Amino acid sequence: MANIWDKFNKSIDVESLREDILDASNNNSRREVPYGTYEVKIEKLELGESKSSGNPMVVCWMRILEGEFKNSLIFMNQSVHSNYPLSIANEFIRSLDSNIVQETMDEFNQIDIARGKEPKDRIFNDYVQYGNLLMDIAEEIDGQLEYVVKYGEEKGFKTYEITEVFEVE
């Protein structure tokens, strides 16, 4: 039985492929997006897993809509395994202006009040619920909302602040 890779070598111009690989390595056209303020749309919002630590993290891809870096992506990968990083992610999620977040907080607050507890404005109880919440938000805002994001750095960590929300016309 022939090796499957031999089939590819026969069906693809391998010499041209070598040239393409060399050209790509010499002309790295991928540019790092510098810190700044950009108009973006959210292309991906989900709960993922850190490859390095295995911890859960919020993954958000923001596509730049205008300017020199149009169509480039800003990647937010925020760990959500403890209180402080979780609060950073939740603040960002709340700033997306999704009705789902407010509805979820209202629902939990009503449960807390019914139990005689102080409302805590939480948006999830476990990671399954958190992952589903992020998917629901992504569906709700897709094609409906765009944002101005201030992309920066503070104390060696990347920051992402939504400063404006726009309805897509």
Side-chain angles (χ1 to χ4, degrees), residues 30-36 38 40-46 51 57-64 69 71-79 88 92 149-153 157-162:
R30 182 178 172 268
R31 297 184 301 166
E32 193 71 28
V33 175
Y35 298 135
Y38 302 95
V40 301
K41 69 177 180 176
I42 304 297
E43 284 205 354
K44 179 185 241 184
L45 180 65
E46 65 185 25
K51 290 179 183 165
M57 66 180 188
V58 171
V59 176
C60 182
W61 293 4
M62 295 169 265
R63 172 96 41 203
I64 297 174
F69 292 91
N71 291 323
S72 295
L73 288 169
I74 297 173
F75 301 98
M76 182 183 100
N77 297 304
Q78 178 62 55
S79 176
I88 292 170
F92 178 82
V149 64
K150 184 177 175 188
Y151 173 49
E153 183 178 328
F157 294 97
K158 292 181 179 179
T159 59
Y160 313 84
E161 179 187 356
I162 301 295

Side-chain angles (χ1 to χ4, degrees), residues 153-169:
E153 183 178 328
E154 186 175 309
K155 298 180 183 175
F157 294 97
K158 292 181 179 179
T159 59
Y160 313 84
E161 179 187 356
I162 301 295
T163 60
E164 292 183 59
V165 179
F166 302 101
E167 287 187 21
V168 175
E169 296 177 9

Side-chain angles (χ1 to χ4, degrees), residues 11-162:
S11 65
I12 296 173
D13 181 356
V14 178
E15 190 58 40
S16 291
L17 179 63
R18 284 188 199 117
E19 290 174 22
D20 289 344
I21 292 168
L22 182 60
D23 186 46
S25 65
N26 291 334
N27 298 317
N28 186 358
S29 61
R30 182 178 172 268
R31 297 184 301 166
E32 193 71 28
V33 175
Y35 298 135
T37 301
Y38 302 95
E39 188 172 334
V40 301
K41 69 177 180 176
I42 304 297
E43 284 205 354
K44 179 185 241 184
L45 180 65
E46 65 185 25
L47 189 62
E49 180 180 1
S50 168
K51 290 179 183 165
S52 60
S53 68
N55 289 329
M57 66 180 188
V58 171
V59 176
C60 182
W61 293 4
M62 295 169 265
R63 172 96 41 203
I64 297 174
L65 299 173
E66 297 179 358
E68 178 183 353
F69 292 91
K70 182 178 181 177
N71 291 323
S72 295
L73 288 169
I74 297 173
F75 301 98
M76 182 183 100
N77 297 304
Q78 178 62 55
S79 176
V80 290
H81 70 286
S82 63
N83 189 26
Y84 182 68
L86 186 57
S87 67
I88 292 170
N90 287 347
E91 182 179 326
F92 178 82
I93 290 164
R94 286 183 179 109
S95 72
L96 296 176
D97 205 29
S98 165
N99 293 323
I100 293 170
V101 172
Q102 189 59 52
E103 291 168 4
T104 303
M105 284 190 323
D106 290 346
E107 183 180 321
F108 282 133
N109 285 343
Q110 289 173 2
I111 292 169
D112 288 341
I113 291 167
R115 292 180 177 166
K117 297 181 178 180
E118 186 70 29
K120 298 178 183 153
D121 287 337
R122 63 197 148 103
I123 58 174
F124 73 100
N125 282 326
D126 60 35
Y127 288 111
V128 170
Q129 191 178 42
Y130 200 34
N132 289 333
L133 175 69
L134 294 175
M135 285 190 307
D136 290 344
I137 293 168
E139 285 179 19
E140 180 190 39
I141 66 176
D142 184 37
Q144 303 299 313
L145 298 176
E146 293 175 350
Y147 306 90
V148 173
V149 64
K150 184 177 175 188
Y151 173 49
E153 183 178 328
E154 186 175 309
K155 298 180 183 175
F157 294 97
K158 292 181 179 179
T159 59
Y160 313 84
E161 179 187 356
I162 301 295

